[in-house]
Amino acid sequence: MRVLVIGGGIAGTATALGLHKAGVDVTVYEAHPDTAEDIGAFLTLASNGMRALAELDATRAVTAVGFPLTSLRLLDSGGTELAQTPLGEADDPALRYRCLRRGELNAALQGEAVRRGVRLRHGARLVSVTDGPYDVTAHFADGSTATGDLLVGADGLNSTVRGLLMPGARPGYAGQRVYYGYTANVPEPGPDGAITMVRGGTTAFGYAVSPTGEAYWFARTGGGPLPADALAAPPAVLRAQLLPPLREDDTPAAALVEDCADALMVTNATELPLGTPWHTGRVLLVGDAAHAASPATGQGASMALEDAVVLAKALRDLPDTRAACAGYERLRRPRTERNITVSGALTRGAPAPGPPRPAGPDEQLVRQLAWDVPLSAAPPEPS
């Protein structure tokens, strides 16, 4: 089997690692000329994402960058600490939450893929796809083509693959703007290994402090979606937008934003509708291309890493490509769509739908991700 992966970001490179481990001939085609895509934002990998990385044998490559998070601290709008609890599976160093810049994670995964011999082609911008009964062909802007048995669209929220083959499935605004920034030399960093969440009067704010004393922070605010020119506004303009609501509270948030220099950006929180098609013919979507959620749960990258493991196991364990694609979707859709729903509810300030998840690892997910457990032995998760 030969698989073409379109997109060399987190989802695409992790998928390639999984497919390579499963013995599949895989090539990654990335439109950007280097690994620095979206280097400005940061993310957290949760314990489930770290578990998926371990099954891909990529833990060491990723823990070489970023820093671990072991507890969650909650402050109210007056700066009073309401709670501090362990975060995820903090007792296992390999499964601790990790905070890192998106570009760092991307570079680490790409470096690991290349080290293992996975072919990675930069500067390959997809323009069309020919999906036939026996194979699928990708056509690139430079006139080159590539043909395989399956094409995996791992090209993110604004997926070219999804747009070409499923043009009706478009992301929509989830109701918040999300600011990201970095502040050096934090005077009162708080407990080591903690990520602090602040329940502000009109904003949600969170920050974690690296071992070098730099704060990685985000803020979620209401309002309509920002147009493209506003998203590209200078940091001073973004800072001026964000500071007034933060100053209404007596928390560290305003000071962190005031002391932030030029490392500041903003995005619109977006999500894909439930029921977005993932699969047609010999084309399959993974990661944000399939199930992008607003960032409130912080699960986007972790969900993509789970996808990579489950798809690799499906192609390894199930009888043919059609069965593998169907099995992958059957197993992954309930979990990822619950994340879209829960994250969207948090973004819009609504109660999370359905009963809360039990504490501790999800045993069904653990079984699905376990590389040595055949996928057929892992039943689908109930919706």
Side-chain angles (χ1 to χ4, degrees), residues 287-301:
D288 279 354
H291 47 72
S294 73
T297 59
Q299 277 285 329

Side-chain angles (χ1 to χ4, degrees), residues 128-307:
S128 65
V129 173
T130 304
D131 186 9
Y134 306 109
D135 55 32
V136 59
T137 299
H139 303 262
F140 300 101
D142 63 1
S144 64
T145 63
T147 299
D149 301 290
L150 178 68
L151 184 147
V152 177
D155 47 348
L157 175 69
N158 298 308
S159 168
T160 298
V161 176
R162 188 183 65 238
L164 287 170
L165 298 177
M166 308 160 196
R170 296 187 180 93
Y173 183 54
Q176 284 188 328
R177 309 162 181 179
V178 188
Y179 296 78
Y180 297 93
Y182 304 91
T183 301
N185 302 318
V186 179
E188 298 179 11
D192 288 344
I195 184 168
T196 300
M197 299 295 184
V198 180
R199 286 181 177 170
T202 59
T203 61
F205 192 89
Y207 68 96
V209 181
S210 75
T212 61
E214 182 180 34
Y216 291 40
W217 58 261
F218 72 87
R220 302 200 313 267
T221 68
L226 292 171
D229 58 342
L231 293 173
V237 174
L238 300 180
R239 192 162 43 244
Q241 292 172 359
L242 184 55
L243 278 172
L246 296 180
R247 286 173 173 154
E248 295 174 5
D249 303 321
D250 187 15
T251 74
L256 287 171
V257 174
E258 285 173 343
D259 290 342
C260 174
D262 293 334
L264 199 159
M265 62 177 291
V266 64
T267 65
N268 291 319
T270 50
E271 61 191 357
L272 280 168
L274 301 182
T276 293
W278 292 9
H279 176 224
T280 179
R282 292 179 175 270
V283 178
L284 179 71
L285 302 177
V286 300
D288 279 354
H291 47 72
S294 73
T297 59
Q299 277 285 329
S302 294
M303 288 287 165
L305 295 172
E306 290 181 11
D307 285 354

Side-chain angles (χ1 to χ4, degrees), residues 2 7 17 59 77 104 212 237 278 280 298 310 348 362 374:
R2 184 181 183 197
L17 288 171
T59 301
S77 60
E104 291 176 335
T212 61
V237 174
W278 292 9
T280 179
V310 174
R348 288 179 276 272
D362 181 329

Side-chain angles (χ1 to χ4, degrees), residues 14 16 28 33 47 58 81 88 114 119 135 137 169 181 193 236 262 286 288 295 304 338 360 379:
V28 179
S47 292
E81 184 175 302
V114 170
R119 293 182 298 275
D135 55 32
T137 299
D262 293 334
V286 300
D288 279 354
R338 175 178 170 81

Side-chain angles (χ1 to χ4, degrees), residues 66-84:
F67 54 95
L69 300 172
T70 55
S71 66
L72 172 67
R73 186 171 66 133
L74 181 63
L75 305 182
D76 66 14
S77 60
T80 301
E81 184 175 302
L82 302 176
Q84 184 173 346

